[in-house]
């Protein structure tokens, strides 16, 4: 990704792909509906908290820890078996994402490093593992069982991360959905860290959706929608991103848009439950 020509806005070009405008419009309408719910005027903070919990559960499920929501809600120990560590990492990332919004547009690589550090925290190895919080170097492996696509080498990762950072810092006229989908897809494609890349990619998507103003109160958890569409559909849609074709890119953006809409549906159900006094 190069931004040497300041007149070129590659993200805006993606927004012009066939079908993308429809996805953007559908997401905007869905988000507006849940923000207009009467419960949001009185109990919005409760909806935000519940969306964070459900989003973390969804992200962990995609990374192989598919726990029931109530199990995630009641657990306090996330430092033992692998699945528990994954759920704990997802919860920490969801909590941390909102603290990094002001830094993202100025220093996205710093935010990504922080996200990985937060994800890896609690494993008992942060102090001893020099790979935590930085992109992998030549010869270092990656543990990311869901994504089996060819792994770019360390030099390509460094170059593409720099390109992604340039795009974010430069800003774009592209809709938030497009930017969020590209950030998410690029991080999955690169898998820049030795672990927790999926969790970090979805947390970065969350940051873009919140920081762009599309979902400023963080009540539309796309992670829920990604999980609800299923791991197979997630991997297949990512294949479209990896192909780099217009059709593939549009398909991935549409998949991310559907994830946001399903997240909206989840939070709408929370609003309805709060209104009935059932939650």
């Amino acid at each position: 990704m190069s931004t040497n020509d300041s007149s070129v806005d590659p993200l805006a070009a993606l927004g012009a792909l066939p079908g993308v405008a429809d996805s953007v419009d559908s997401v905007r309408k869905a988000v507006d509906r849940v923000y207009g719910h009467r419960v949001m005027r009185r109990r919005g903070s409760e909806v935000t908290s519940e969306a964070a919990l459900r989003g973390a559960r969804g992200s962990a499920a995609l990374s192989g820890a598919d726990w029931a929501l109530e199990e995630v809600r009641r657990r306090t120990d996330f430092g033992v078996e692998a699945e528990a560590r994954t759920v704990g990492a997802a919860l920490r990332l969801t909590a941390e994402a909102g603290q990094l919004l002001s830094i993202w547009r100025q220093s996205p690589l710093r935010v990504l490093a922080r996200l990985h550090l937060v994800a890896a925290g609690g494993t008992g190895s942060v102090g001893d593992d020099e790979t935590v919080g930085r992109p992998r170097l030549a010869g270092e492996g990656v543990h990311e069982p869901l994504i089996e696509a060819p792994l770019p080498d360390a030099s390509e990762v460094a170059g593409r991360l720099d390109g992604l950072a340039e795009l974010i810092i430069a800003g774009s006229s592209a809709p938030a959905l497009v930017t969020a989908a590209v950030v998410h897809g690029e991080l999955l494609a690169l898998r820049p860290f030795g672990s927790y890349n999926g969790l970090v990619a979805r947390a970065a998507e969350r940051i873009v959706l919140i920081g762009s103003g599309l979902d400023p109160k963080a009540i539309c958890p796309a992670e829920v929608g990604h999980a609800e569409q299923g791991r197979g559909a997630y991997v297949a849609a990512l294949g479209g991103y990896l192909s780099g074709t217009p059709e593939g890119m549009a398909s991935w953006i549409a998949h991310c848009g559907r994830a946001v809409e399903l997240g909206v549906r989840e939070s709408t159900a929370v609003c309805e439950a709060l209104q009935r006094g059932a939650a």
Side-chain angles (χ1 to χ4, degrees), residues 85-205:
R85 291 198 298 271
T86 297
V87 174
L91 288 166
R92 290 192 299 274
L93 284 172
T94 301
E96 186 74 9
Q99 309 302 313
L100 299 171
L101 297 173
S102 63
I103 305 172
W104 175 253
R105 282 294 302 272
Q106 286 74 42
S107 186
L109 297 185
R110 179 182 164 195
V111 169
L112 293 176
R114 174 64 185 170
L115 290 174
H116 187 245
L117 184 66
V118 167
T123 65
S125 62
V126 174
D128 300 323
D129 189 350
E130 63 179 15
T131 70
V132 171
R134 66 155 174 78
R136 55 189 167 85
L137 303 177
E140 293 179 347
V142 171
H143 176 68
E144 194 64 48
L146 179 60
I147 309 301
E148 298 180 353
L151 194 66
D153 64 32
S155 61
E156 181 180 350
V157 168
R160 287 172 63 175
L161 280 178
D162 284 344
L164 182 63
E166 289 174 11
L167 286 178
I168 294 165
I169 292 168
S172 172
S173 63
L177 173 63
V178 173
T179 303
V182 168
V183 168
H184 185 170
E186 189 70 358
L187 292 174
L188 286 179
L190 296 178
R191 284 146 287 164
F193 303 108
S195 59
Y196 297 116
N197 288 286
L199 295 179
V200 169
R202 292 183 288 275
E205 179 186 51

Side-chain angles (χ1 to χ4, degrees), residues 9-18 20-21 174 178 182 241 246 249-250 253:
D9 185 347
L11 297 182
L14 293 176
L17 291 174
V20 171
V178 173
V182 168
Y241 180 89
M249 296 295 290
I253 294 168

